[in-house]
Structures are given as C-alpha cells and as structure tokens.
C-alpha cells in the first residue's frame, strides 16, 4: 500500500530579494540607463571636432547613423520609434532641411495622416472614443436617422479644420464604438 503523504510546511508566498538595493534599482532601470548612456555618448561624439576631411554636416549624419545603429542593435527602443527618431534628428542637427528629409519618405501629407492615425489609436486606447460615442447616443440616438445625421455633421464640421483623410481616421473609432453600442 502507498504510504500516506506527510503534511509539508506551507510554502512562503513571496521571497525577499537579498541583493543590495543599488543592484535592485539598477536591474529595474536597465533600459533607461542604457538609453541615457547611448544618448549621452551620442551628444559627446557630436561635441567632438569632426575628423579631418569631414565637414560638420557629415559628422552629424555619421553620429546619427551610429546612434540609430546602437538603438537598433540593443533594442533599447522599438525599431519604428528609432526610425522616426532618425527622421527627426536629421533636420534637428542641420544635416538636411525638414522638407528634403521627409521628401525621401513621402510627402508631408503622409506624415499628417500618420499623426491622425496615432491620435485615433490614442482615442481608442484611452476610451475617449467610447465616451464620445456614448454622448452621441444619449444626445442624438432617439432615432437611427438622427444618429447618422449627427455623425455626418461631425465629419462636416471636422473637415473645415483638417483634411478629409484625417477626419476619416479620427471619426473611425467613434463610429466603430457607435456600431458596437
């Protein structure tokens, strides 16, 4: 016959971290410390005089290239954020004008619509689109016709302030929440 299992001592629900406090803090801030070191190194390299044969703009472009390469290699920032950072740093440090820089990536309208999609994603993530949709349902939801007309007027009013593509990107999460309500 099998022997009865002996009651074991209850297991602790947590463990104490016995490392020194400095190590604990440093281990939790690895990414921030790495970013601080990379950006400090970038600014230090930028402050150096360029090697002979390189002018100031070439030195800036080279230092931006190495910063982005280090950020991509370490994964300290997501690749998309690093790419956008490179596009922002090039005009900031005078390598090219903003118009020339963005011309390689598309027109200014593309970045405007990209910004509208970012705002749209933020509206969905924070729940703002749900709140706006609930206000529309309360104020104009007596009949489906009034609700549709209110969305039409919202789009018409917003179109006076921004392009139609941006309005579509901004109104989409509101209409999506209206449809699910």
């Amino acid at each position: 016959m099998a022997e009865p299992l002996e009651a074991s001592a209850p297991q602790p629900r947590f463990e104490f971290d016995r490392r020194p406090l400095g190590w604990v803090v440093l281990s939790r801030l690895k990414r921030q410390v790495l970013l601080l070191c990379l950006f400090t190194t970038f600014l230090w390299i930028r402050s150096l005089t360029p090697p002979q044969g390189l002018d100031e703009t070439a030195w800036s472009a080279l230092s931006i290239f190495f910063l982005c390469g280090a950020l991509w290699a370490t994964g300290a920032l997501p690749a998309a954020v690093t790419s956008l950072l490179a596009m922002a740093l090039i005009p900031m440090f005078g390598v090219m004008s903003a118009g020339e820089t963005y011309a390689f990536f598309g027109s200014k309208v593309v970045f405007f619509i990209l910004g509208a999609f970012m705002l749209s994603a933020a509206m969905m993530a924070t729940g703002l689109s749900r709140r706006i949709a609930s206000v529309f349902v309360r104020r104009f939801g007596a009949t489906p016709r009034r609700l549709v007309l209110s969305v039409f007027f919202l789009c018409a009013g917003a179109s006076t302030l921004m392009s139609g593509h941006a309005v579509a990107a901004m109104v989409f999460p509101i209409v999506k929440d209206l449809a699910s309500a």
Side-chain angles (χ1 to χ4, degrees):
M1 280 200 141
E3 294 179 21
L5 295 174
E6 293 181 20
S8 61
Q11 295 293 327
R13 292 174 34 183
F14 55 86
E15 281 186 39
F16 287 105
D17 194 350
R18 303 210 182 275
R19 297 178 294 171
L21 182 61
W23 285 112
V24 173
V25 171
L26 190 62
S27 70
R28 296 197 181 207
L29 297 175
K30 278 189 281 192
R31 183 172 175 220
Q32 289 84 354
V33 169
L34 177 62
L35 285 171
L36 180 69
C37 290
L38 288 173
F39 281 104
T40 305
T41 304
F42 166 72
L43 292 174
W44 174 71
I45 289 173
R46 277 278 301 123
S47 70
L48 298 174
T49 55
Q52 187 175 359
L54 279 181
D55 62 347
E56 193 66 34
T57 58
W59 183 243
S60 295
L62 192 61
S63 61
I64 292 169
F65 173 77
F66 281 118
L67 171 69
C68 291
L71 288 171
W72 278 321
T74 60
L77 287 177
V81 174
T82 304
S83 301
L84 291 173
L85 178 70
M87 289 174 44
L89 289 176
I90 289 172
M92 278 176 53
F93 285 100
V95 176
M96 289 182 186
S97 70
E100 289 175 326
T101 303
Y102 303 143
F104 289 112
F105 299 98
S107 67
K108 293 178 184 178
V109 174
V110 171
F111 290 102
F112 179 73
I113 293 173
L114 178 67
F117 278 117
M118 287 180 183
L119 287 173
S120 174
M123 284 175 58
M124 291 176 76
T126 60
L128 179 62
S129 63
R130 255 181 273 123
R131 286 182 179 220
I132 294 172
S134 67
V135 167
F136 268 70
V137 169
R138 267 185 305 201
R139 300 222 35 211
F140 308 109
T143 65
R145 181 180 175 155
R146 282 184 62 191
L147 192 58
V148 170
L149 282 174
S150 67
V151 172
F152 285 156
F153 286 124
L154 171 69
C155 293
S159 292
T160 62
L161 303 172
M162 58 182 130
S163 76
H165 295 92
V167 170
M170 297 292 291
V171 172
F172 174 74
I174 298 169
V175 172
K176 181 179 172 253
D177 288 333
L178 277 173
S180 66

